[in-house]
Each structure stands twice: as C-alpha cells, then as structure tokens.
C-alpha cells in the first residue's frame, strides 16, 4: 500500500517544529524519555502533551499521570489520556474534516530501573483498562504491554535498544517514542516491537538522536473504528489487511531539551518505510513535583 506524501501544509508544520527546536539549543540538560531517573522517594505527577500530524490526519493526546517512587529503582504510575482526533480519509475536495474527542483507556504501570557501569536497564509493565465504548478510543479489552530499555553511555554518545511485547500498541508517558505517537491506532492482537538507535548530547541540556523501529504482529489482528472510519491513521484499503498496518517499520529523528528543570520538549520526524508515510510529532511535558519546588 502506498500512501500520499506530505502536503505543503505538513511540510511547513514539520519545518516549524524543527525551527522551534533549534531556538532552544542553549537551554539546559535533557532527560532521556525512555525512562525518567528517580532521585528520591515520594509522589510524582506529570502533565504531558503528545501530538502528530501527517497526510492521514492529526492526533493530540493530553496525558495526566500521578505515581509514587519507593526508591531509586522502583515506582508506579496511573494515568488517563484524553484524545483529540481528526482523520483525513478520502473525501470530496473542500469537504470539512471534523474533530472527534474522548477519554482513552486509563492505565497503570510498574517501572523498575537498574543503572550500572556496564549497561543501564529499565523495564515497564503497563496495563490499560477499557472504560470507553469499543471503537476509536478503546478496544474494549484489557491492554498489556511489557517494555524494556537498554543503554550504554560512551562519552557524549548513548546507543540504546528498546524492545517489548503487547496485545496492542500502547502509547503512555513512559513509552512515548515518536513512532508510537504516529502509530496511535487501537489494535488487538499479539504485537512485538523493537527500536535501536543512538543519542548525542550536544550541550548540557540538549540531546539529538535517531532510531530504527519495527512492529511485528503475530496471529489474528483487529483494528477498531468508529462511524466507519478507522482510527486513527493508516486507513485500510482494498489491497491491505490489518496485519499490513501493524507490521510497520521505519526510522525517526528527534531533538530533546529541557527549557527548565521541570519541563521537557521533544520534536521529532517519523518515516514509515513500509507504508511510505511521513509524520511530525511533538511531545511537551511538565514534571509537576519539580515545578512546585521539590528540587532547587
């Protein structure tokens, strides 16, 4: 299946995101978003915005989460995402594309992190609970995801590998890789995902990086929709199946920076080689515990 290339509008949006990132090249140290380092025990709270735009439409997610750190290795979170979706199926020229919005399935996760001189390792086990009607915002089934992150800093360079298995792709604060934001469809079926890449610390608060990702489905796959429109992008046509859509692979480039000690920003570009599709994504997050003076 071959999808349309970026429109001029989306090219401008992507350029604007890149320019916005370059404006912050002298702001402080970025934290890797594969997992957030735990500095002490206590309650945590995050507010995060994730968005993506492509020729297939736009998705914006407001993700509110609270948690508790037991120590530097163990913590848990609960969160609830709210979606704003505008799909762009084939329609007559000039016909309006409408926004849809609703709560997504709330989730809980248990996270463990173990840093050492040889290899840093973090793992997150997440579960989402269906509360919405089956369709664009929910599969109506319990969602399970086991996510693993490995990295090894070498000076300013940090190679990393992410790998996981799930019964459908979840997109939460701790697993918000650019390709997950882009592939924000609701699916049900066994799915393995992998990502390998490298980051470079440019200055104390700025990191640039790139990665290659792959999704590998197995067995029967279901993709959910509302009002006859598949959610969110990657609309099937007569020559494609659901397995074609969940069998994705491609690459991403991203910039991470911290304007303040309580805020992180990540503009990114994603290209699906399997679907010949481009997307721009943006993540903006706020560490509310830090914002209210926990750290000085």
């Amino acid at each position: 299946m071959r999808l349309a290339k970026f429109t001029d509008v989306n090219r401008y949006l992507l350029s604007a995101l890149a320019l916005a990132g370059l404006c912050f090249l002298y702001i402080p140290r970025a934290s890797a978003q594969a997992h957030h380092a735990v500095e002490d025990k206590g309650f945590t709270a995050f507010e995060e915005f994730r968005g993506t735009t492509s020729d297939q439409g736009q998705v914006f997610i407001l993700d509110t989460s609270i948690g508790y750190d037991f120590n530097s290795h163990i913590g848990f979170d609960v969160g609830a995402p709210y979606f704003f979706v505008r799909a762009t199926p084939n329609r007559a020229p000039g016909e309006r594309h409408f926004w849809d919005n609703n709560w997504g399935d709330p989730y809980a996760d248990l996270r463990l992190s173990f840093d050492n001189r040889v290899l840093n390792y973090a793992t997150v086990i997440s579960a989402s609970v269906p509360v919405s009607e089956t369709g664009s915002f929910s599969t109506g089934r319990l969602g399970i995801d086991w996510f693993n992150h490995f990295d090894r800093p070498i000076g300013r360079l940090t190679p990393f590998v992410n790998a996981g298995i799930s019964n459908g792709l979840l997109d939460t604060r701790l697993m918000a890789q650019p390709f997950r934001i882009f592939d924000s469809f609701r699916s049900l079926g066994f799915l393995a995902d992998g990502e390998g890449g490298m980051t470079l610390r440019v200055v104390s608060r700025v990191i640039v990086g790139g990665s290659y990702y792959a999704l590998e489905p197995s067995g029967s796959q279901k993709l959910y929709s509302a009002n006859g429109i598949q959610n969110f992008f990657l609309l099937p046509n007569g020559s494609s199946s659901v397995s074609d859509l969940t069998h994705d692979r491609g690459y991403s480039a991203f910039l991470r920076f911290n304007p303040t000690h309580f805020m992180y920003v990540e503009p990114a570009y994603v290209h699906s080689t399997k679907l010949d599709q481009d997307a721009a994504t943006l993540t903006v997050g706020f560490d509310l515990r830090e914002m209210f003076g926990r750290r000085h």
Side-chain angles (χ1 to χ4, degrees):
M1 177 177 67
R2 183 177 179 85
L3 299 177
K5 294 287 189 179
F6 252 10
T7 62
D8 289 339
V9 172
N10 283 321
R11 288 195 184 96
Y12 295 149
L13 286 171
L14 182 58
S15 299
L17 290 177
L19 181 60
L22 293 175
C23 292
F24 287 91
L25 284 179
Y26 298 100
I27 31 194
R29 176 175 198 175
S31 58
Q33 287 186 321
H35 64 91
H36 295 273
V38 178
E39 295 183 355
D40 54 5
K41 69 178 183 178
F43 286 98
T44 64
F46 287 85
E47 186 69 41
E48 187 169 271
F49 163 86
R50 300 188 293 274
T52 183
T53 181
S54 76
D55 284 347
Q56 294 299 301
Q58 292 77 41
V59 173
F60 301 119
I61 306 169
L62 291 177
D63 192 342
T64 303
S65 63
I66 59 174
Y68 190 84
D69 295 332
F70 295 98
N71 52 45
S72 61
H73 303 294
I74 304 174
F76 77 91
D77 307 277
V78 293
Y82 194 85
F83 290 87
F84 299 85
V85 181
R86 189 178 73 163
T88 312
N90 293 326
R91 297 183 178 182
E95 187 174 353
R96 295 180 62 187
H97 301 160
F98 294 96
W99 287 93
D100 193 9
N101 59 281
N102 203 349
W103 286 101
D105 293 339
Y107 62 87
D109 63 60
L110 174 66
R111 45 187 165 80
L112 306 173
S113 61
F114 304 96
D115 295 348
N116 58 66
R117 295 181 180 179
V118 178
L119 186 69
N120 297 326
Y121 171 64
T123 185
V124 182
I125 300 175
S126 300
S128 63
V129 180
V131 295
S132 301
E133 294 183 1
T134 301
S136 289
F137 303 98
S138 176
T139 65
R141 304 287 183 87
L142 181 71
I144 301 292
D145 190 294
W146 181 26
F147 171 80
N148 297 276
H149 171 83
F150 305 85
D151 70 54
R152 175 67 168 90
I154 307 172
R156 291 178 175 266
L157 292 174
T158 302
F160 69 87
V161 172
N162 297 322
I165 56 175
S166 65
N167 65 344
L169 199 66
L170 294 184
D171 175 12
T172 68
R173 179 179 65 83
L174 290 177
M175 301 184 295
Q177 301 114 298
F179 78 87
R180 286 180 183 258
I181 303 174
F182 170 52
D183 284 341
S184 287
F185 46 76
R186 301 270 81 73
S187 68
L188 185 64
F190 178 85
L191 191 64
D193 64 90
E195 182 182 25
M198 184 177 297
T199 63
L200 170 66
R201 181 166 55 86
V202 181
V203 293
S204 62
R205 297 186 179 184
V206 177
I207 291 176
V208 296
S211 69
Y212 179 84
Y213 72 88
L215 302 178
E216 189 68 37
S218 178
S220 62
Q221 299 283 314
K222 295 181 179 179
L223 195 68
Y224 290 83
S225 64
N227 301 323
I229 300 176
Q230 294 290 343
N231 174 61
F232 293 124
F233 307 139
L234 313 179
L235 311 178
N237 58 30
S239 61
S240 64
S241 67
V242 173
S243 294
D244 291 331
L245 303 178
T246 55
H247 190 259
D248 190 20
R249 55 201 66 241
Y251 52 84
S252 65
F254 50 84
L255 171 70
R256 297 172 181 161
F257 51 88
N258 283 41
T260 71
H261 67 274
F262 59 80
M263 180 181 179
Y264 52 91
V265 181
E266 182 180 290
Y269 164 78
V270 181
H271 176 75
S272 168
T273 57
K274 178 74 180 295
L275 300 167
D276 193 18
Q277 176 71 18
D278 301 283
T281 73
L282 177 65
T283 299
V284 180
F286 298 89
D287 183 338
L288 302 182
R289 183 175 70 173
E290 296 289 306
M291 181 183 294
F292 292 108
R294 187 66 182 270
R295 174 172 169 258
H296 300 283

